[in-house]
Amino acid sequence: IMLTIGGAMGVYGVSNSNAVIREIFSVQLPGVQNLGDSSILQLRARTAIDRVIAHPEDPGAADTIKRVEGFLAKSEEHWKKYLALPQEADEKKLSDTVAASRDKYLKEAFLPMLAAVKAVNMGEADRLNMEVVPSMYSAYSEQAAKLSEFQILTAEKQFKTSQDAFKLFLWV
């Protein structure tokens, strides 16, 4: 009977550890990675478009605009990959906030600035870049950082819970 109980506890412990590791590596880490990649690509788009606004006469400006559009498309891909991952209620609430600030930033700041650059309206592009983009990007970036931190803390909590269960089983 003791061997059966011990064996069952071992199977349960290994299954529990495996479930935690699977959750961390298949949900938490990809989530953090995709959020980070999406944010970095947004920042790369901002940096690239700044160059066009500062030097619209540059012969490579059209290519830079294409790179900006590529950064935006890749950012969107990573964002969608993140959204496709399972989310619990607390994370969903945070991700909805990030989605709202991200959409606002893109629709009310970055995309109008990009449209102004394409229309060679550098005065409007510069105005948006100086007056609108920074605050909207900051709001988006702050919310995305909170969501990433939440994911890391959630993974740490899951790992700690698993370790506590392991220690309990070790003593039993």
Side-chain angles (χ1 to χ4, degrees), residues 65-84:
I65 290 170
K66 287 179 185 172
R67 283 190 22 240
V68 166
E69 292 170 332
F71 291 145
L72 292 176
K74 287 180 184 176
S75 174
E76 185 68 18
E77 286 176 28
H78 285 286
W79 177 246
K80 287 180 179 177
K81 285 180 185 178
Y82 164 73
L83 291 176

Side-chain angles (χ1 to χ4, degrees), residues 12 15 18 21-22 24 79 82 86 90 93 99 131 135-136 144 146 148 160:
Y12 174 77
S15 296
N18 188 48
I21 290 169
R22 186 180 320 111
I24 289 171
W79 177 246
Y82 164 73
D90 290 343
K93 183 177 177 183
E131 298 174 12
S135 62
M136 287 194 184
K146 287 178 186 178
S148 291
K160 184 181 180 321

Side-chain angles (χ1 to χ4, degrees), residues 7-165:
M9 289 177 66
V11 168
Y12 174 77
V14 169
S15 296
N16 183 49
S17 294
N18 188 48
V20 169
I21 290 169
R22 186 180 320 111
E23 171 73 14
I24 289 171
F25 283 96
S26 65
V27 177
Q28 300 300 329
L29 290 179
V32 170
Q33 181 71 41
N34 283 308
L35 281 174
D37 287 348
S38 181
S39 293
I40 287 168
L41 288 160
Q42 291 284 341
L43 192 55
R44 289 182 73 188
R46 274 191 69 191
T47 302
I49 204 167
D50 281 349
R51 291 175 51 199
V52 175
I53 293 169
H55 301 286
E57 74 288 346
D58 185 309
D63 288 338
T64 301
I65 290 170
K66 287 179 185 172
R67 283 190 22 240
V68 166
E69 292 170 332
F71 291 145
L72 292 176
K74 287 180 184 176
S75 174
E76 185 68 18
E77 286 176 28
H78 285 286
W79 177 246
K80 287 180 179 177
K81 285 180 185 178
Y82 164 73
L83 291 176
L85 296 169
Q87 297 180 8
E88 293 182 10
D90 290 343
E91 182 178 358
K92 178 71 172 132
K93 183 177 177 183
L94 287 171
S95 73
D96 287 347
T97 302
V98 173
S101 62
R102 182 179 187 276
D103 287 347
K104 183 174 182 172
Y105 161 69
L106 287 171
K107 291 177 183 169
E108 296 179 21
F110 194 87
L111 294 177
M113 180 175 62
L114 179 58
V117 167
K118 287 179 174 182
V120 195
N121 185 349
M122 294 307 164
E124 177 63 4
D126 188 54
R127 182 192 72 77
L128 289 164
N129 196 27
M130 297 301 293
E131 298 174 12
V132 181
V133 168
S135 62
M136 287 194 184
Y137 182 82
S138 290
Y140 156 65
S141 181
E142 287 172 16
Q143 295 302 320
K146 287 178 186 178
L147 181 54
S148 291
E149 182 179 357
F150 174 84
Q151 288 187 309
I152 290 168
L153 292 174
T154 299
E156 286 177 9
K157 182 179 173 184
Q158 289 173 331
F159 179 73
K160 184 181 180 321
T161 300
S162 176
Q163 289 298 295
D164 290 345

